[in-house]
Amino acid sequence: MKRADRDIREIWRARGNVLRALAGVRSAEEWLESNRKAREQRARLHQAPRNVADPGTPLRGEAQVHGPKGAGLRVASARSPVKTLSFGSTRRFVKVSAKQAFARATLRFRVSKTKSRHLRAGTITVARWDGESKRFRLVPHSGFNIKRGYAYARISRPGVYTAVGLPRDPRLVTTLRLMRAAEPWSSQAKWGDLRRNICQAVLCNSQIGRAVKQLVTHGDGPLADAGYSSDDFDGFTGGGSICDQCLNMPGPDLTPEIPLLPEGGDVPVLEPADPVVWPSPCTTWESIGPTNVPGRITSLAIDPTAYPDGHRVLYAGAADGGVFKSVDSGTTWAPKWQDQLSLSIGALAVSLSHPNVVYASTGRWVFPSGFDGLIFPPGVGLYRSDDYGETWRLCAPIDSKYTNAVAVDPANPDRVYVGGEYGLHRSSDGGLSWDVTPDGLSPLWRFVEGTRTDIGGISDVVFDPRIAGRLLIGIHQVGVKESLDGGTTWHELAQDLEVVTSPYAPRIAFGREGLHGTRFVVVKIGDITRQTFPNTGDYGRIFASEDGGAHFTELTPVNDVTNGDGADYYTYANALAVDPKDEKRLITGSVVLQGSTDGGLTWPLLDMSRHVHPDIQALVFDPHNHLRIYVATDGGVSESTDGGDTWADRSNGLVTTQCYHIGVSQTSRLDVGITTQDNFCYHSSGSGEFASFGVFSEGGWIEYDPDDANVIYADDFQRNSAAKSTDGGLHWHSLGIKTTGLGDTFRKPFALA
């Protein structure tokens, strides 16, 4: 065995010993993966300053709440909803009540020095008790005014609120970090056993206790030698010993200060005397492509400005590559997404009144959600750019981690709506704060006998560009709703659409300058209950209205689900657009691209030469040249300049390939092989342009023989088979091994012994 291999195995063995001692976990690999996922899902993900919600004026009395007139807001002291308090608790609870729903209010309540002395004042924030999930949730725009001694928060609902923060005592911080690391197992293992091991490792450890006592009493000892002072160890938690409190601590869901933990080491943590040596992480990354294999583009947006040179400014959102921008009508693209917290773009929108304002929501909503986190990674909320997509800031958090639509008020760039799996989120201040529009639109996920259903996920949000305050939303398995007051009240859009009893992922499009203007509305719905095309899955039912949605007429349905995936497929790939000059010209797509020039009587295929990749994700018309159309697909972006008759690829610069798996040769000859989402299998010997292996439709796993780079193993999950090549991928032969299928575990891994 090579020395390097022995060293690596020793490191892994040491890690496993540490993990078994702390939490009873038997697999270091499992721990690392779970810890990575937990860190990615941390709730503290926005960059807007918390103090925007602080009035900064003296607080009169013990608590105050200010909001809209008529809401009947009141605040009073309250009891804790849980028996045992967390380490970061201030033991201060207040209850906000209201006579009617409100969009925004400012809450303040006093927190004495006695109740906060054990906390780092700069970390104190406000948490709300969520009675439905039985847990505390941090309020995004909240904090602590150290000078005036009160906690503050911008709130949008009544309930019990408290102030929490990170403890000063490094023993408590260490314990919280261990609890966060163990959180992924809290639903599969007995939390009491995990908690007991964590508490005994630090807070009930007699040696650490004696060292702390010596430092506090005499000011010396090993902790003093390590740079700690007695001020660092203030374990005040409201009575009782720290060990007893830890042993009776509720689960991590009831420890609201855990998300406040930073990634770095700016909060003191007790390190082991002989720490495990971990390999140094990579500090810089360099893209190696593929530059010639564009992947799934989920969304497109076009600048409404008519530039003198005739070129259009376009924005493209990738499923796993961030945001790209083109200033030459899609001829070339440049990445505009560098340090953001998510690469998964769900939707894009450009403000009509202020085109410098661009919004990008993260995490693409798809149902069914069996592939969540694999090819549909979760997002972190909404980003906003005020300089045409050059720089971005993360807005305040929203509940939805998967989004499907963003809409901006045509007259107000700060009024923005995001549709996701948890409903419709509305902001009137450019994303600094949010409220969820009422009328029963949220929450929208349901759990039936332990199984999640996505009834109510928002599939589309569309503003009427002519009528102020009017917008339409598509609701998965519910239908289409209309609001005439900016989303405050809603009503069902026409009874004619109710003929679809199970409307899958409704898509909506307005006319512009045609015969009926924006009174012309088209709705496309997947109907899982009807099937007229044998052996090809369910079809899309399309309805058109000429009176703004008061009445609809059903058009000829489209058979654009050609592979038998059914109406579910409309949540994955579905687009609809109306020619801004001619409402008789309609374009739609799911697997394939279809168009109509007779108002929906016929739907011929538009791309007979197959220049458009399958799986249609988005469609946009050039507002100044209705014959120019752009389409986003699983293979990049395509353009038509003749109304859809012919198409050309416009993906130069879109490095957006979704790689399922990467294999790297271990010999002196470098070769990198990748399997991709919907784009075959490729390899490269160092060039940014990758060459196709040519035989796999959509591979799942790939590995190189460590002693011979010409020997490669791969599997094709769509064809449910594994293959081997002995000449570097030129020729392949089946191994006779069935690997996986769409109905089985998605992409089974394999390894070479």
Side-chain angles (χ1 to χ4, degrees):
M1 183 185 298
K2 297 180 181 178
R3 173 64 182 272
D5 294 337
R6 288 198 301 270
D7 291 344
I8 291 174
R9 294 195 178 187
E10 287 298 323
I11 290 172
W12 279 103
R13 189 176 295 112
R15 293 179 193 174
N17 292 335
V18 171
L19 295 173
R20 279 191 291 271
L22 292 181
V25 180
R26 309 189 68 85
S27 170
E29 293 91 340
E30 179 184 353
W31 185 90
L32 289 171
E33 178 64 15
S34 299
N35 188 40
R36 181 187 66 80
K37 291 181 179 179
R39 289 159 69 95
E40 289 177 351
Q41 295 172 357
R42 289 171 58 236
R44 198 181 183 189
L45 295 174
H46 65 90
Q47 299 163 347
R50 294 191 299 167
N51 60 9
V52 297
D54 184 9
T57 58
L59 174 64
R60 300 183 182 277
E62 290 299 310
Q64 292 179 347
V65 59
H66 294 285
K69 295 181 180 179
L73 291 169
R74 300 187 64 181
V75 60
S77 296
R79 293 184 177 182
S80 170
V82 294
K83 182 177 180 180
T84 303
L85 301 181
S86 64
F87 296 139
S89 175
T90 59
R91 297 183 298 143
R92 182 76 167 97
F93 298 86
V94 297
K95 183 177 182 179
V96 175
S97 58
K99 293 182 179 180
Q100 63 182 37
F102 57 94
R104 183 168 62 181
T106 299
L107 170 66
R108 291 192 292 169
F109 54 92
R110 198 172 303 282
V111 179
S112 67
K113 291 183 179 179
T114 301
K115 292 183 177 181
S116 62
R117 76 184 189 209
H118 63 296
L119 303 177
R120 294 180 172 270
T123 68
I124 296 178
T125 187
V126 175
R128 179 184 62 85
W129 176 252
D130 188 333
E132 187 171 318
S133 62
K134 303 299 182 183
R135 62 179 298 177
F136 285 103
R137 295 185 182 275
L138 296 180
V139 179
H141 287 106
S142 63
F144 183 63
N145 189 310
I146 301 175
K147 180 179 179 181
R148 301 189 184 276
Y150 62 74
Y152 58 83
R154 180 176 289 167
I155 64 174
S156 60
R157 64 191 71 184
V160 175
Y161 291 83
T162 186
V164 298
L166 287 178
R168 293 167 53 195
D169 193 324
R171 294 171 296 174
L172 304 184
V173 175
T174 299
T175 304
L176 289 174
R177 282 187 164 167
L178 290 173
M179 286 183 176
R180 179 173 67 183
E183 187 172 1
W185 304 306
S186 61
S187 60
Q188 286 103 19
K190 291 183 179 180
W191 172 247
D193 294 339
L194 292 174
R195 178 191 57 213
R196 183 166 50 255
N197 287 333
I198 292 172
C199 296
Q200 291 174 347
V202 181
L203 298 185
C204 304
N205 187 300
S206 59
Q207 292 181 345
I208 294 179
R210 285 195 295 270
V212 172
K213 184 176 181 180
Q214 183 176 4
L215 174 64
V216 173
T217 305
H218 304 289
D220 58 8
L223 292 178
D225 295 339
Y228 290 103
S229 68
S230 58
D231 293 337
D232 293 321
F233 294 88
D234 185 354
F236 174 79
T237 56
S241 72
I242 293 180
C243 177
D244 290 340
Q245 184 181 15
C246 187
L247 293 174
N248 290 288
M249 183 75 68
D253 284 352
L254 300 177
T255 312
E257 62 269 23
I258 283 182
L260 297 174
L261 289 168
E263 295 291 350
D266 54 333
V267 175
V269 178
L270 281 178
E271 299 291 351
D274 186 17
V276 177
V277 178
W278 295 72
S280 299
C282 296
T283 57
T284 59
W285 291 85
E286 178 181 348
S287 174
I288 63 171
T291 58
N292 60 325
V293 189
R296 185 160 57 108
I297 301 298
T298 58
S299 49
L300 285 173
I302 188 167
D303 189 321
T305 307
Y307 290 96
D309 60 4
H311 280 153
R312 296 291 171 260
V313 175
L314 295 166
Y315 302 89
D320 261 334
V323 175
F324 288 76
K325 179 181 177 181
S326 172
V327 296
D328 53 12
S329 304
T331 302
T332 59
W333 296 86
K336 298 299 176 183
W337 209 253
Q338 303 297 334
D339 302 318
Q340 286 68 35
L341 298 173
S342 172
L343 291 172
S344 175
I345 305 301
L348 292 169
V350 179
S351 169
L352 290 177
S353 58
H354 294 73
N356 60 298
V357 177
V358 186
Y359 290 97
S361 67
T362 58
R364 181 60 178 255
W365 175 85
V366 175
F367 175 82
S369 53
F371 301 153
D372 286 0
L374 185 63
I375 58 177
F376 310 128
V380 297
L382 182 76
Y383 280 89
R384 169 174 169 148
S385 172
D386 290 291
D387 54 8
Y388 298 93
E390 296 299 319
T391 60
W392 301 83
R393 70 167 174 84
L394 185 58
C395 300
I398 58 177
D399 288 338
S400 292
K401 298 300 181 185
Y402 298 91
T403 62
N404 218 33
V406 175
V408 186
D409 189 320
N412 183 356
D414 293 330
R415 195 163 182 81
V416 60
Y417 299 72
V418 178
E421 87 276 22
Y422 274 108
L424 184 65
H425 310 281
R426 176 179 63 181
S427 176
S428 298
D429 52 15
L432 292 177
S433 63
W434 297 93
D435 68 319
V436 178
T437 57
D439 215 25
L441 295 183
S442 178
L444 294 162
W445 276 9
R446 298 291 183 267
F447 288 84
V448 180
E449 297 180 353
T451 301
R452 192 187 81 191
T453 64
D454 283 10
I455 295 177
I458 304 298
S459 57
D460 210 356
V461 183
V462 183
F463 254 109
D464 187 323
R466 301 286 189 266
I467 302 177
R470 182 184 186 227
L471 69 156
L472 275 58
I473 60 173
I475 311 175
H476 182 56
Q477 298 194 62
V478 174
V480 178
K481 288 193 175 186
E482 177 188 48
S483 175
L484 299 176
D485 54 12
T488 300
T489 59
W490 296 88
H491 62 272
E492 295 287 345
L493 189 65
Q495 295 182 352
D496 300 319
L497 299 179
E498 294 180 357
V499 297
V500 184
T501 57
S502 184
Y504 265 58
R507 282 287 182 181
I508 308 162
F510 279 109
R512 294 295 180 94
E513 300 175 20
L515 179 62
H516 299 91
T518 61
R519 305 301 295 172
F520 185 73
V521 183
V522 183
V523 175
K524 178 183 178 184
I525 298 174
D527 187 355
I528 201 169
T529 64
R530 295 182 60 181
Q531 191 173 32
T532 61
F533 298 98
N535 303 319
T536 58
D538 301 287
Y539 64 94
R541 301 178 70 175
I542 298 184
F543 301 81
S545 172
E546 297 176 350
D547 55 10
H551 304 87
F552 278 88
T553 300
E554 184 167 6
L555 309 179
T556 303
V558 290
N559 178 23
D560 58 1
V561 180
T562 61
N563 56 359
D565 284 313
D568 283 357
Y569 210 78
Y570 288 116
T571 69
Y572 172 79
N574 192 10
L576 177 68
V578 179
D579 188 318
K581 300 288 186 180
D582 180 7
E583 64 189 40
K584 291 293 185 181
R585 183 188 296 271
L586 311 174
I587 298 182
T588 186
S590 181
V591 175
V592 295
L593 192 63
Q594 294 172 270
S596 176
T597 58
D598 53 17
L601 294 177
T602 59
W603 295 95
L605 288 175
L606 291 183
D607 181 37
M608 299 302 293
S609 300
R610 300 310 299 262
H611 289 144
V612 176
H613 193 286
D615 294 341
I616 311 302
Q617 303 289 347
L619 285 161
V620 292
F621 276 87
D622 183 337
H624 302 286
N625 178 4
H626 70 115
L627 296 180
R628 175 182 281 171
I629 313 165
Y630 293 93
V631 57
T633 70
D634 277 13
V637 176
S638 297
E639 177 196 38
S640 174
T641 58
D642 54 13
D645 291 336
T646 61
W647 295 84
D649 181 71
R650 292 289 182 263
S651 303
N652 184 23
L654 292 175
V655 184
T656 56
T657 312
Q658 283 189 284
C659 295
Y660 286 140
H661 187 248
I662 300 175
V664 181
S665 63
Q666 302 299 304
T667 60
S668 58
R669 193 197 81 189
L670 172 66
D671 200 51
V672 178
I674 61 172
T675 61
T676 71
Q677 186 273 325
D678 214 9
N679 280 287
F680 303 98
C681 301
Y682 299 83
H683 69 112
S684 169
S685 297
S687 170
E689 292 193 0
F690 279 53
S692 174
F693 278 131
V695 294
F696 297 100
S697 57
E698 188 172 1
W701 209 266
I702 185 169
E703 292 287 358
Y704 285 79
D705 188 310
D707 298 320
D708 188 350
N710 288 315
V711 179
I712 312 171
Y713 299 84
D715 79 88
D716 182 342
F717 93 93
Q718 287 190 354
R719 296 176 182 172
N720 193 19
S721 63
K724 176 182 179 180
S725 174
T726 59
D727 55 9
L730 294 177
H731 302 89
W732 296 81
H733 66 272
S734 174
L735 295 176
I737 301 173
K738 297 298 183 181
T739 54
T740 181
L742 286 173
D744 199 355
T745 303
F746 201 58
R747 291 171 185 81
K748 290 179 179 177
F750 59 81
L752 303 182

